Amino acid sequence: MNTATKLGAYVAALAVVFGGAAAIGTAAGPVGKADEGEHGGHGSHGSHGGTAAAAAVPGGLQVSQGGYTLHPRTTDVRPGVRTDFRFTIDGPDGRPVTRFTPLHGKRLHLIIARRDLSGFQHLHPTEVGGGVWEVAVVLPKAGAYRFFTDVQPEGAQEALTLGVDVAAAGDFQPVPLPGPEQVAKVDGYEVRLAGALAPGRSSKLTLSVSKDGKPVTDLEPYLEAYGHLVALRQGDLAYLHVHPDGEPGDGKTKPGPDITFYAEAPSAGTYRLYLDFQHGGKVRTAEFTATAGPSPAPVQQGEPQGEGHGEHTH
């Protein structure tokens, strides 16, 4: 079987499993149950307690929401090759939106992860005119990737996390998800996770950063916080509502070593957490696997993904 046939079979399987196409420009439609919590990305900060998660479809599972649609304009993405990826957020009138309310200091956030939860990237595209956004992207390996945009168009009542699958053609080799862990290491830093996800309600998570065995107490502000946390659910890549507790300059939030977040898991299951933090002028990402509720069946054994992917461009 040639590589194109292999990827075609993989994409067809995704269409069955996830309820959406794995080709560019096609939505992975609402996969979550109707009673699961909807959280429009990390720009919407609700209360820390209660059961607000039991509402609708989690973020990131729809290409369109509230009349707004994520529309990729680039149709050829090859693994390992830099691509100037272009896209628009189209409004209810079908035209590209040009006015956005900033979220965490940026008008738009682009999050990328392969369907096996590897290859995480957090990028900030540039608007090149007429509502068209562009960013240089390198998808390291073949496979189907989920592209998420965190935005709040002016006039929209809340922030939106829209998602679409983008295929990088080639021989797809899935990477097994590492088991749950409390410590991740990246570029000489150690990040320790305290707290646990609880399905259907908000949970407190504290991540502590150290280097060479000493706590890091001079973290630098990044996206109007001392850390940025993304959480994705294994299986459908539902995008969790995660927000930090406090912000730089509020008189009470310290620049490390602890960074506290509140995460709302819409269901029991396995999640991958990605913590971005900045120190010494560089942004690094520490990755964790965490479970909410009863432990699921063991993941496929094989070569681990690794504990972090170091410095990356934001």
Side-chain angles (χ1 to χ4, degrees), residues 61-309:
L61 296 181
Q62 302 177 95
V63 70
S64 296
Q65 182 181 346
Y68 297 93
T69 301
L70 170 56
H71 180 187
R73 300 299 180 98
T74 301
T75 59
D76 184 15
V77 181
R78 301 181 183 182
V81 178
R82 173 180 164 140
T83 301
D84 291 330
F85 185 78
R86 289 191 169 199
F87 62 95
T88 58
I89 305 296
D90 295 344
D93 60 359
R95 298 178 180 178
V97 177
T98 58
R99 299 177 68 88
F100 297 86
T101 299
L103 302 175
H104 302 284
K106 299 290 183 179
R107 297 170 64 216
L108 187 146
H109 300 258
L110 178 66
I111 305 295
I112 301 172
R114 200 167 70 159
R115 276 285 177 181
D116 59 6
L117 296 174
S118 66
F120 175 83
Q121 299 180 53
H122 182 171
L123 307 172
H124 297 115
T126 301
E127 187 180 3
V128 295
V132 177
W133 295 84
E134 181 179 276
V135 64
V137 171
V138 177
L139 302 182
K141 298 179 180 179
Y145 289 77
R146 192 69 173 169
F147 280 47
F148 303 91
T149 54
D150 245 345
V151 293
Q152 185 168 356
E154 284 193 3
Q157 296 183 351
E158 61 182 359
L160 306 173
T161 302
L162 305 176
V164 68
D165 275 11
V166 174
D171 185 9
F172 171 68
Q173 298 292 334
V175 178
L177 190 68
E181 63 270 320
Q182 275 66 52
V183 177
K185 297 180 180 180
V186 54
D187 287 352
Y189 292 83
E190 182 176 280
V191 182
R192 184 172 296 273
L193 171 65
L197 293 171
R201 63 182 178 87
S202 182
S203 306
K204 181 179 179 180
L205 303 176
T206 300
L207 295 109
S208 302
V209 183
S210 62
K211 181 175 174 57
D212 300 327
K214 298 179 180 179
V216 174
T217 58
D218 58 346
L219 292 172
E220 299 161 358
Y222 173 64
L223 301 178
E224 301 180 342
Y226 288 120
H228 182 274
L229 185 65
V230 168
L232 301 176
R233 183 170 62 187
Q234 185 183 37
D236 62 0
L237 275 66
Y239 192 110
L240 271 63
H241 175 210
V242 182
H243 59 88
D245 183 28
E247 59 186 25
D250 63 7
K252 62 179 181 179
T253 303
K254 297 180 180 180
D258 297 341
I259 314 170
T260 299
F261 298 88
Y262 289 88
E264 299 175 12
S267 71
T270 300
Y271 296 82
R272 191 66 170 169
L273 310 181
Y274 309 89
L275 172 69
D276 291 336
F277 65 95
Q278 182 168 305
H279 189 244
K282 297 179 181 179
V283 177
R284 297 170 175 84
T285 303
E287 302 185 12
F288 300 84
T289 298
T291 58
S295 298
V299 297
Q300 179 184 356
Q301 298 299 311
E303 181 182 356
Q305 293 181 14
E307 297 172 301
H309 56 265

Side-chain angles (χ1 to χ4, degrees), residues 11-35:
V11 170
L14 282 177
V16 176
V17 176
F18 300 118
I24 189 166
T26 305
V31 181
K33 297 181 180 178
D35 62 352

